[in-house]
């Protein structure tokens, strides 16, 4: 389950992304991803109940929660 209190933004993929490493996410353009962490442009997010890393350049923010 996704704890919404840890989500700080929701993004939509503007490109397909295929993971290079086991700790990354793969997704198709248009995927909606819940971001839980952003470290220097490398995002950690949840998609299809899988948590993984992906580059922020592949996504666009649609909702941002203020602290």
């Amino acid at each position: 389950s996704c704890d919404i209190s840890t989500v700080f933004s929701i993004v939509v993929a503007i490109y397909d992304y295929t993971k290079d490493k086991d700790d990354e996410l793969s997704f198709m353009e248009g995927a909606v991803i819940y971001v839980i962490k952003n470290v220097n442009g490398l995002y950690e997010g949840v998609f299809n109940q899988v948590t993984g890393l992906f580059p922020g350049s592949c996504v666009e923010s649609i909702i941002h929660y203020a602290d």
Side-chain angles (χ1 to χ4, degrees):
S1 68
C2 182
D3 179 4
I4 204 75
S5 67
T6 64
V7 172
F8 78 84
S9 67
I10 298 173
V11 298
V12 62
I14 52 175
Y15 304 110
D16 294 350
Y17 183 69
T18 304
K19 66 182 184 179
D20 289 326
K21 305 189 193 80
D22 286 344
D23 62 352
E24 294 182 340
L25 279 182
S26 291
F27 47 79
M28 302 288 280
E29 181 183 343
V32 174
I33 305 162
Y34 295 84
V35 177
I36 51 180
K37 203 181 292 178
N38 176 0
V39 182
N40 299 326
L42 187 67
Y43 285 22
E44 184 174 348
V46 182
F47 173 63
N48 275 355
Q49 298 177 328
V50 178
T51 302
L53 303 171
F54 59 94
S57 57
C58 290
V59 299
E60 205 167 72
S61 185
I62 49 176
I63 299 175
H64 185 84
Y65 296 101
D67 294 329

